[in-house]
Amino acid sequence: MLTLPRLNSQSLLRLLMAGISLLMMIYVLSDSRVRVRSTFCPKNVCTPASNATQTSGDSEEGWNLMDYVNGPPTSSLFSNLRNDTAYVTTLLNAGWTNDVMTIVNMIYLSILTGRVAVIPPHVPVHVGVEANEFLFSDVWDLPRLRRTVGHPMIEWADIKSGISQDHIGCWSVWQTVDGQPHSKPRGSRLNYALHLDISYTKIPENTKLLNLHASFWGLAKLGFPDGREEALRDASPLPSNQHKKVILPDERFMCFDILYYAAAHEPYEWERDYSPAWRFVGRHLRFHPKMVEIAELYLRRMFDLQEDEPIPKFISLHLRRGDFAEYCGNDKETCFPPMSALADAVEEVRQTLRTRRGIEIGKNDVVLTSDEKDPMWWASVAELGWKFADHEKEKTVETYGRWYPPFIDAIHQSMGTGFVGTEGSTMSLVALRRVVDWNGGMGKMVKFGEGMYKTT
């Protein structure tokens, strides 16, 4: 009978390790793919969790911009990026609310990837191309956002201030999610405002969700060495627009053409209360206190209040009519809800607040915002006793600038205890989210469509 030698624990361990080594050698020799791991892995992405630096958000004592850049803004992007830090950013090309959602998505992605969020300025798509870009931290309370989210966020203006052109490789989300066979990267005015010459690489097809969106984690893996290496195996970067340079997506400064079309579970999930981008970032994004002060001045004039009188609770409305008229065919009047339907919606919200929240809203304590230009329509609003900011009469643009009418309107929408919005409008969608989560309020959307309000 053959007797096997008795092995002690150390011998068993050596035998086990030898077996594992043999299996690994067989795997490597049988895998024909070349697997090259990136040499770049900054501390905020690849540091072991036990040693990773935890950010505590912004505070007077704790926040230091110099922890994330080399110094004051420079003429070139790359000269001010730290070698031990990874970043992520997005460009913008949509209306203002959609751009806000894009930035919130980018910040959420920065949390997933452990990268510093680099926030771009707002671009004047809807307010007029002659207007300048608007600094994010001049309209939003960025210190509060950093503090409540507990994640580092800086702005492009913190990094770059000059006109030196930077050549960079970025990822294109739009090329993949657009679904067209020859789709191009999404263009942006920021390419010129920030002096960028970009070579785009489309994100992998397996990043795409069901319809016109990319998965957050599919995008997040591009910020890690393994995911990036996998995505670039069959990639073909496009030449840059200006100097026709072909550049792979930058490892340290990860950038995207547009992150509006990003979701965790399903397309357009900002419409759901479980949207992670809203829950973990968006609901913490509050307006700058100075902006709120201006908006409150308008409300006091609307309600004929003195400086020390409190502003009453009110129901806010947002009725998008201007560019939505293109969906109405030839009859705008039967497409949009008439004043009677709006009054019914307001009354429904008022009654719901009374029965479910025990909150009383005065009959005329209603603040309406809209992009409608017809003075007769606004006259019918006034006949109902509802309030609104008359930006022409107030000379808002002349006093503050082209950006301020939509800023003031958005703040008024968010200050309502109840809300009535326009279905399909992202401005209404985000306003409703704010009313519910910030104020404990309630609201509803009104529909529109060709012939929807036609009477027989």
Side-chain angles (χ1 to χ4, degrees):
M1 180 176 180
L2 179 63
T3 302
L4 296 176
R6 177 172 295 180
L7 299 177
N8 57 31
S9 60
Q10 290 185 343
S11 298
L12 284 171
L13 180 61
R14 284 196 294 270
L15 183 62
L16 178 62
M17 294 303 295
I20 292 173
S21 299
L22 179 61
L23 289 173
M24 291 179 65
M25 184 178 298
I26 292 172
Y27 168 76
V28 170
L29 292 175
S30 63
D31 189 355
S32 60
R33 295 173 299 176
V34 178
R35 303 177 64 84
V36 180
R37 188 174 179 86
S38 169
T39 58
F40 175 78
C41 202
K43 65 181 182 182
N44 54 330
V45 172
C46 292
T47 301
S50 59
N51 297 321
T53 301
Q54 298 297 318
T55 60
S56 58
D58 185 23
S59 66
E60 291 296 324
E61 300 83 17
W63 172 255
N64 184 5
L65 174 62
M66 293 302 109
D67 289 341
Y68 307 104
V69 293
N70 290 327
T74 56
S75 61
S76 173
L77 166 68
F78 294 103
S79 61
N80 208 7
L81 301 180
R82 291 174 59 110
N83 291 328
D84 60 357
T85 302
Y87 309 82
V88 62
T89 195
T90 181
L91 298 176
L92 304 173
N93 186 9
W96 175 56
T97 301
N98 289 2
D99 283 349
V100 173
M101 296 166 69
T102 299
I103 291 170
V104 168
N105 285 348
M106 184 271 292
I107 295 172
Y108 179 64
L109 182 63
S110 77
I111 296 171
L112 297 181
T113 57
R115 290 170 173 259
V116 176
V118 181
I119 303 173
H122 292 301
V123 293
V125 173
H126 282 173
V127 301
V129 295
E130 67 277 8
N132 293 324
E133 289 71 30
F134 205 96
L135 197 64
F136 181 87
S137 59
D138 282 346
V139 64
W140 304 103
D141 192 344
L142 183 54
R144 184 188 190 278
L145 182 65
R146 282 193 289 245
R147 184 171 60 251
T148 53
V149 174
H151 189 77
M153 307 170 202
I154 62 177
E155 297 183 87
W156 269 89
D158 295 323
I159 302 174
K160 181 176 180 179
S161 63
I163 60 173
S164 177
Q165 188 174 61
D166 289 296
H167 307 283
I168 188 172
C170 296
W171 296 99
S172 173
V173 175
W174 183 246
Q175 271 188 283
T176 298
V177 302
D178 182 36
Q180 301 302 316
H182 302 293
S183 182
K184 297 180 180 180
R186 190 74 168 239
S188 174
R189 170 170 164 160
L190 290 178
N191 293 354
Y192 306 98
L194 300 174
H195 305 284
L196 302 174
D197 187 29
I198 303 176
S199 171
Y200 278 110
T201 299
K202 66 181 295 187
I203 62 173
E205 287 291 330
N206 61 13
T207 305
K208 189 163 58 174
L209 288 174
L210 297 175
N211 172 38
L212 208 67
H213 279 70
S215 157
F216 271 121
W217 273 110
L219 297 171
K221 75 177 187 178
L222 303 176
F224 295 90
D226 283 350
R228 182 177 184 276
E229 185 266 334
E230 176 186 326
L232 291 178
R233 282 177 188 159
D234 301 315
S236 300
L238 294 176
S240 63
N241 276 341
Q242 297 181 49
H243 294 277
K244 308 304 177 185
K245 291 181 178 288
V246 176
I247 310 170
L248 289 175
D250 199 83
E251 294 179 86
R252 181 173 38 158
F253 196 82
M254 186 165 67
C255 47
F256 296 89
D257 57 347
I258 186 168
L259 286 174
Y260 174 80
Y261 300 99
H265 175 63
E266 59 184 325
Y268 301 107
E269 66 189 6
W270 270 73
E271 298 175 1
R272 310 295 184 182
D273 55 6
Y274 51 79
S275 162
W278 169 257
R279 284 183 48 77
F280 296 110
V281 181
R283 67 191 181 100
H284 301 297
L285 179 60
R286 302 298 183 101
F287 292 100
H288 195 290
K290 292 183 179 179
M291 290 290 180
V292 176
E293 287 180 9
I294 295 172
E296 287 180 343
L297 288 175
Y298 279 69
L299 285 175
R300 293 186 185 282
R301 289 197 286 269
M302 289 183 208
F303 285 94
D304 195 21
L305 299 172
Q306 299 299 317
E307 185 177 351
D308 58 345
E309 291 184 277
I311 297 170
K313 294 182 183 298
F314 60 87
I315 295 173
S316 56
L317 283 82
H318 171 241
L319 303 177
R320 185 166 175 179
R321 293 169 59 91
D323 58 340
F324 272 19
E326 66 185 63
Y327 303 111
C328 290
N330 297 322
D331 193 353
K332 183 176 174 181
E333 295 307 315
T334 64
C335 177
F336 291 122
M339 285 298 165
S340 58
L342 297 176
D344 289 344
V346 168
E347 186 58 28
E348 181 183 345
V349 172
R350 180 185 287 110
Q351 293 294 337
T352 305
L353 286 169
R354 177 185 295 123
T355 56
R356 295 190 183 181
R357 297 283 195 271
I359 298 172
E360 292 289 341
I361 304 291
K363 180 181 178 181
N364 293 330
D365 292 344
V366 178
V367 175
L368 186 145
T369 64
S370 178
D371 57 354
E372 178 60 62
K373 303 299 183 185
D374 183 1
M376 296 298 293
W377 185 86
W378 284 106
S380 65
V381 173
E383 288 177 2
L384 291 173
W386 294 352
K387 281 76 174 172
F388 57 90
D390 187 337
H391 291 296
E392 288 191 11
K393 183 178 178 180
E394 294 274 3
K395 297 189 181 300
T396 303
V397 172
E398 293 84 348
T399 304
Y400 299 107
R402 291 293 298 268
W403 278 99
Y404 278 78
F407 289 164
I408 292 169
D409 286 354
I411 297 172
H412 288 168
Q413 295 160 17
S414 73
M415 294 175 73
T417 303
F419 179 75
V420 175
T422 304
E423 189 173 84
S425 166
T426 52
M427 191 171 199
S428 286
L429 168 65
V430 176
L432 178 59
R433 287 273 167 268
R434 291 168 181 153
V435 166
V436 171
D437 282 11
W438 294 0
N439 310 333
M442 308 180 75
K444 66 170 297 180
M445 297 292 193
V446 292
K447 298 180 182 293
F448 76 98
E450 186 173 357
M452 181 171 289
Y453 296 95
K454 188 175 183 179
T455 58
T456 55

